[in-house]
Amino acid sequence: MSPTVKLLQGNEACVEGALAAGVKFFAGYPITPSTEIAELLAERLPLVGGRFMQMEDEIASMAAVIGASLTGTKAMTATSGPGFSLKQENLGFAIFTEIPCVVVNVMRGGPSTGLPTSPAQGDVMQARWGTHGDHPVIAVYPASVPEAYELTIKAFNLSEKYRTPVIMLMDEVVGHMREKVELPDVPQIPIEERPRPTVSKENYLPYDNNQGDVPPLANFGDGYHFHVTGLTHDQTGFPTSAPAKAKVLYERLHRKIENNLDDILMWETKDMEDAEIGVLAYGSTARSAARAVSLAREQGIKAGLMRPITIWPFPEKLITQYASQLKSLVVAEMNLGQYVNEVERAAQGQVPIKRVLQANGELIRPDTILQAIMEVK
Amino acid sequence: MMLAEKYLRDAMMPHMWCPGCGHGIILQAVIRAIDKAGLEHDKTVIVSGIGCSSRASGYMNFDTLHTTHGRALPFASGIKMANPDLNVIVLTGDGDALAIGGNHFIHACRRNIDITTVIFNNSIYGMTSGQYSPMTPVGQFATTSPYGNIDRNFDVCELAKSAGATYVARSTAYHAPSMPDLIVKAINNKGFSVVEAVGQCPTYYGRRNKLGSPVDMLNWQKEHAVNVAAAAHLTPEQLADKLIIGELHNSSAPEFTEKYDQLVARLQGRE
Amino acid sequence: MGRKFAVAINPKWCKKCGICAAFCPRQVFTHKAGHVPEITAEEKCIGCNQCEQRCPDFAVTVRGKNDESDS
Ligand SMILES: Cc1ncc(C[n+]2csc(CCOP(=O)(O)OP(=O)(O)O)c2C)c(N)n1
Ligand code: SF4
């Protein structure tokens, strides 16, 4: 059958992607500009055998999502900056206990209530370091409505495959803009499921490090009688404070992400083959950047676009490598300097970096980025 | 205890609680209740927050979830909602349930979601070495109320009842022999059930308030407990420093996950 | 009447609080502070099970002799 073509908002596309990935549980608390995700799932989930809960706050939402996931249910929540802050403690719990789930943050200007209905990219570092403790994180960021659909599926896939929460950042532009999206009857992207135990119930270890870096996860209610705790634990799941065992856990948590960067990192380039000036941008800013690159090319300037889709883990090697080939690098983001600092670190001084930073609730316009390109050409 | 073999994780024992701590007595009552109620072992999930009391989940040979401070109820709600076939029991402390988790507590009551919550009330934050909690009576001493507590305390049973819980009971560690029956009723109630289990923290609360040995603290519970039937004949003045024990509230109201199932049935035209 | 009970304390779990001894209505135990209580008068046990149910450490077990019940 041919795919259904729909004109959707990014938030709606995210819901379609989640349903295609098999989401069966949503818990959330309303907050602009993410609320449509909750509203639409409240409508859709009961129709597909799923369940929706409006919780008393975002802390509870994150908790409920983790609880639901432990029963073997694909679960998600969606929020914006202030709510994302509230989710952080339990997000850390999910990272540490390795419970798959998807957390969407449709960013607004902030801090605090900020600019609730305006676009911003101020939570980029919060996505990386918002929770406490030393941990890896996966965060993806679409730049268009069709990509919001696809990336939601991929976010679920990554979360299941690596037994970790995956953050999907969006900005208000992507969340609320309407674009044409093809919704295939059967998703084109194969759907991943978390690794399941293959051993007997008696021999099951929820954090078995002899099973590779992503240990199989049993469901609550299936008779495995396993323990999940936010205390540092060994492979049995029971708490330990033995430094040798703690080291094994912390290092495995990092390794399961860092050893799989080829699989986890998604990245798009445009006109980079012969580029002398690279423009790095993500989310809706990358749309302006793409336009700026085309305008520059029209004027005979060899500009190219680099757009990280997986923004965490940081695509360090790629940036180091491009930095060695470019004359200049322009970084544009809707904040006063977050990702650019990481880019600067990865560029290792090989290339001058021009910052196009803006935090006023307005999109960065293509001509602003074009102007920066002209300045460094 | 004979049931220990079946329901406790031998590798985790002996537990971490101090000598004479009431938490072990209350946990034993919980285990007896689970056995008495005949809950299917594989279909029973234990969820706890953070605190000495919340360590209880780790000792129990079930699917167990030791969550974050104050959040056991929303974790448990997610489990129950995602799989209503599971029996979900929450074990929590007075600080965990009513300070940091107070908002979750009233909303779980309001929803009347089918979860049984046992509050291990030792009137103190034990885990963090004895600060006052929302259940520390006025005038009592804690590390953060060195001149006597001026912060009023909750009556959690009244709170639960007014917030919508459909089964509410109170017992004490001294009354361990009768506590399991109250927990069995809580488990059998289709809805949100609360059992306040008053226990003792001899290490911090007892010592700072000069309440004597664990035995003395149990005797205090015995002397200050009044059965709900007897309490009906006493004046508020007579009840001022008393703990009313027994079944305090038992009503019926639509249960949250059942309501959701009905909604699904209606949407699918099956109703 | 006449039923006999076996009382046992698991010394690996017992934390020596003496609650079992204090609430036993028949003085089955002898408890010295800082020691695991001793069962010095098992024959007096009436199987009320209060010691077991108030033991914070799951360390006391009372069994009916010649039957399997957990009282
Ligand atoms: C977010 C957060 N804040 C504070 C703490 C520190 N903390 C751990 S347990 C606890 C109090 C526990 O008291 P209660 O629930 O009454 O249990 P008890 O230890 O008395 O059994 C506190 C404040 C924490 N772990 N997490
Ligand atoms: S500190 Fe208090 S509550 Fe904690 S284990 Fe010791 S006696 Fe029990």
Side-chain angles (χ1 to χ4, degrees):
Chain A
M1 274 201 3
S2 59
T4 317
V5 179
K6 278 192 173 169
L7 189 67
L8 294 180
Q9 278 192 335
N11 284 346
E12 293 167 341
C14 167
V15 166
E16 295 297 342
L19 291 168
V23 72
K24 286 290 183 304
F25 185 86
F26 179 96
Y29 190 83
I31 182 166
T32 307
S34 75
T35 306
E36 295 82 4
I37 297 176
E39 289 170 340
L40 200 51
L41 280 166
E43 195 180 315
R44 299 284 293 279
L45 276 172
L47 302 174
V48 297
R51 284 159 176 266
F52 169 92
M53 262 188 118
Q54 179 168 309
M55 299 303 290
E56 51 274 20
D57 60 31
E58 289 86 349
I59 302 173
S61 308
M62 191 65 223
V65 159
I66 299 167
S69 181
L70 270 164
T71 69
T73 306
K74 285 190 181 175
M76 76 182 291
T77 182
T79 187
S80 185
F84 193 49
S85 295
L86 289 181
K87 288 181 198 291
Q88 294 295 342
E89 187 194 9
N90 286 337
L91 183 59
F93 180 90
I95 291 171
F96 199 43
T97 53
E98 302 178 71
I99 311 302
C101 55
V102 171
V103 179
V104 179
N105 173 6
V106 189
M107 290 179 282
R108 51 157 78 186
S112 193
T113 309
L115 291 162
T117 54
S118 303
Q121 298 179 315
D123 299 347
V124 170
M125 294 312 284
Q126 190 187 188
R128 177 64 192 91
W129 291 116
T131 194
H132 50 286
D134 192 27
H135 61 278
V137 79
I138 300 179
V140 298
Y141 193 159
S144 70
V145 176
E147 194 174 52
Y149 168 79
E150 261 179 41
L151 264 193
T152 307
I153 300 178
K154 288 179 182 166
F156 271 100
N157 280 353
L158 288 169
S159 125
E160 293 285 318
K161 190 169 173 188
Y162 294 105
R163 251 189 91 169
T164 190
V166 171
I167 297 163
M168 185 158 106
L169 291 180
M170 295 207 273
D171 49 68
E172 190 274 339
V173 177
V174 178
H176 281 161
M177 162 175 74
R178 286 185 189 277
E179 286 182 305
K180 224 166 62 177
V181 187
E182 285 190 1
L183 302 175
D185 292 333
V186 183
Q188 303 297 294
I189 306 162
I191 302 301
E192 301 264 359
E193 303 293 336
R194 62 193 69 175
R196 300 287 187 187
T198 50
V199 297
S200 67
K201 287 177 182 173
E202 296 70 44
N203 292 324
Y204 175 64
L205 296 171
Y207 301 93
D208 190 354
N209 37 37
N210 296 314
Q211 302 258 339
D213 285 340
V214 187
L217 179 59
N219 297 339
F220 271 11
D222 282 355
Y224 290 85
H225 300 178
F226 65 107
H227 187 51
V228 175
T229 176
L231 284 164
T232 299
H233 41 273
D234 63 15
Q235 53 177 352
T236 62
F238 297 124
T240 175
S241 48
K245 288 183 171 177
K247 178 174 145 75
V248 167
L249 172 62
Y250 287 96
E251 290 184 357
R252 181 175 59 72
L253 286 178
H254 277 85
R255 208 167 50 231
K256 75 173 178 181
I257 306 298
E258 278 150 22
N259 283 3
N260 292 294
L261 293 184
D262 287 348
D263 186 43
I264 296 169
L265 289 184
M266 292 174 275
W267 173 271
E268 187 195 53
T269 59
K270 177 176 174 263
D271 295 336
M272 281 303 289
E273 298 71 30
D274 61 343
E276 292 171 354
I277 300 171
V279 180
L280 187 142
Y282 50 86
S284 61
T285 309
R287 301 168 72 100
S288 295
R291 176 82 186 129
V293 163
S294 306
L295 293 171
R297 285 270 166 184
E298 280 170 21
Q299 299 184 34
I301 301 166
K302 288 186 174 167
L305 173 72
M306 298 178 275
R307 179 172 73 91
I309 300 169
T310 306
I311 65 163
W312 304 115
F314 188 70
E316 181 137 0
K317 274 196 191 139
L318 258 157
I319 289 173
T320 309
Q321 192 199 320
Y322 273 121
S324 72
Q325 299 164 11
L326 294 167
K327 272 197 201 150
S328 314
L329 180 50
V330 175
V331 179
E333 54 185 338
M334 284 188 280
N335 56 51
L336 295 183
Q338 296 196 12
Y339 211 63
V340 64
N341 295 327
E342 290 295 295
V343 174
E344 211 156 60
R345 192 174 52 75
Q348 298 173 358
Q350 302 179 93
V351 62
I353 291 173
K354 172 83 185 165
R355 296 168 173 236
V356 181
L357 308 175
Q358 180 176 305
N360 61 358
E362 284 179 336
L363 254 180
I364 302 179
R365 299 164 59 92
D367 50 2
T368 310
I369 299 172
L370 180 63
Q371 196 187 327
I373 295 173
M374 301 307 263
E375 282 171 26
V376 299
K377 81 164 192 286
Chain B
M1 187 218 184
M2 266 162 63
L3 294 173
E5 216 170 295
K6 183 169 175 195
Y7 293 113
L8 291 183
R9 289 170 167 144
D10 196 53
M12 294 288 286
M13 296 293 287
H15 55 57
M16 51 84 73
W17 295 316
C18 303
C21 172
H23 291 344
I25 304 176
I26 298 164
L27 178 57
Q28 189 186 143
V30 170
I31 284 171
R32 285 182 191 276
I34 288 174
D35 194 66
K36 251 187 162 166
L39 291 188
E40 198 182 331
H41 206 146
D42 289 353
K43 295 289 170 204
T44 302
V45 176
I46 313 292
V47 185
S48 65
I50 295 291
C52 294
S53 36
S54 289
R55 285 295 188 99
S57 61
Y59 303 119
M60 299 176 74
N61 192 20
F62 292 85
D63 288 325
T64 50
L65 180 58
H66 179 222
T67 66
T68 47
H69 191 28
R71 319 301 174 194
L73 280 168
F75 276 89
S77 302
I79 292 171
K80 183 70 190 180
M81 184 65 168
N83 185 352
D85 292 341
L86 299 177
N87 311 302
V88 183
I89 297 175
V90 168
L91 307 179
T92 171
D94 45 304
D96 194 62
L98 294 157
I100 192 164
N103 195 35
H104 307 310
F105 181 78
I106 57 173
H107 286 279
C109 292
R110 174 182 61 80
R111 277 184 200 110
N112 194 34
I113 186 164
D114 187 19
I115 292 172
T116 297
T117 297
V118 179
I119 300 173
F120 293 50
N121 174 16
N122 56 8
S123 312
I124 199 89
Y125 290 169
M127 182 64 110
T128 44
S129 321
Q131 300 75 28
Y132 74 86
S133 91
M135 302 285 278
T136 306
V138 168
Q140 295 298 91
F141 293 92
T143 60
T144 46
S145 59
Y147 307 113
N149 182 25
I150 58 163
D151 209 346
R152 283 174 70 199
N153 56 313
F154 276 130
D155 177 333
V156 63
C157 293
E158 286 298 323
L159 175 69
K161 190 174 133 185
S162 25
T166 42
Y167 182 88
V168 182
R170 185 187 285 120
S171 184
T172 81
Y174 173 81
H175 296 86
S178 56
M179 194 191 300
D181 285 338
L182 293 172
I183 303 176
V184 168
K185 283 188 145 186
I187 288 171
N188 289 338
N189 174 47
K190 186 85 197 158
F192 193 71
S193 307
V194 177
V195 177
E196 179 191 352
V198 176
Q200 70 278 3
C201 168
T203 304
Y204 295 114
Y205 191 71
R207 206 174 282 167
R208 200 164 261 264
N209 290 289
K210 304 195 168 55
L211 299 177
S213 69
V215 170
D216 296 331
M217 293 180 83
L218 285 168
N219 276 320
W220 184 94
Q221 293 162 19
K222 175 186 175 183
E223 285 150 19
H224 288 78
V226 179
N227 193 278
V228 63
H233 306 292
L234 298 178
T235 63
E237 292 71 40
Q238 289 170 312
L239 288 171
D241 67 340
K242 296 288 187 288
L243 293 165
I244 303 177
I245 61 166
E247 182 180 301
L248 304 179
H249 178 65
N250 191 348
S251 65
S252 75
E255 192 274 327
F256 184 72
T257 62
E258 283 187 349
K259 285 292 275 186
Y260 201 88
D261 284 340
Q262 287 162 13
L263 169 83
V264 169
R266 176 156 59 84
L267 291 173
Q268 297 178 349
R270 286 197 272 111
E271 203 178 55
Chain C
M1 287 304 287
R3 255 180 95 202
K4 294 257 185 288
F5 296 89
V7 184
I9 296 183
N10 176 351
K12 287 196 198 118
W13 290 5
C14 171
K15 290 183 178 157
K16 308 166 187 169
C17 66
I19 289 175
C20 53
F23 293 101
C24 173
R26 293 295 159 102
Q27 285 78 45
V28 167
F29 307 85
T30 308
H31 178 234
K32 273 190 259 144
H35 294 269
V36 174
E38 280 178 60
I39 296 152
T40 45
E42 190 180 64
E43 70 286 353
K44 292 195 205 155
C45 174
I46 51 167
C48 72
N49 217 26
Q50 294 191 59
C51 54
E52 178 175 333
Q53 296 190 24
R54 291 206 187 92
C55 173
D57 304 319
F58 302 87
V60 183
T61 308
V62 180
R63 274 193 182 82
K65 281 186 178 166
N66 314 319
D67 75 38
E68 290 296 298
S69 84
D70 187 17
S71 315

